[in-house]
Amino acid sequence: MKEYKFCQSCGFPLKKDKKGGGSEKDGTTSRKFCSMCYENGEFLTPPEIDTAEKMQNFCIQEMKKDGINGFFAWLATRSIPKLERWKR
């Protein structure tokens, strides 16, 4: 299985994930998605987040809530459309 350095949903560095990654339905650690995006084999984002653009806006707002500068949040989310979850 391919090793990913970044969550393939939000782009968060997997090595910085406090839980080591999200979790699959069988309880194993996901090597593709972070724990903020994926738990028990399901995405944690609201169902209306169904495009890369919506995910970018969602992540920017969440980062701002955590006190991250809006410009930095925008920069950090620029790669989201290239991630596997959003490729069509």
Side-chain angles (χ1 to χ4, degrees), residues 12-26:
F12 188 78
L14 290 173
K15 67 181 180 182
K16 291 188 176 186
D17 190 322
K18 292 177 183 168
K19 296 181 180 179
S23 61
E24 300 293 350
K25 283 189 189 284
D26 64 5

Side-chain angles (χ1 to χ4, degrees), residues 36-58:
M36 294 175 285
C37 287
Y38 196 70
E39 191 175 277
N40 297 319
E42 296 185 18
F43 289 105
L44 301 175
T45 49
E48 63 270 13
I49 307 297
D50 58 1
T51 67
E53 183 179 324
K54 289 178 184 177
M55 184 64 168
Q56 284 175 290
N57 291 330
F58 177 76

Side-chain angles (χ1 to χ4, degrees), residues 61-81:
Q61 295 310 313
E62 292 300 306
M63 291 169 81
K64 283 180 174 180
K65 287 180 192 175
D66 288 341
I68 294 173
N69 173 286
F71 179 72
F72 178 77
W74 173 80
L75 277 176
T77 61
R78 287 181 50 205
S79 67
I80 287 176

Side-chain angles (χ1 to χ4, degrees), residues 2-17:
K2 185 175 177 177
E3 276 295 316
Y4 295 93
K5 292 184 179 187
F6 300 95
C7 173
Q8 293 300 297
S9 176
C10 73
F12 188 78
L14 290 173
K15 67 181 180 182
K16 291 188 176 186
D17 190 322

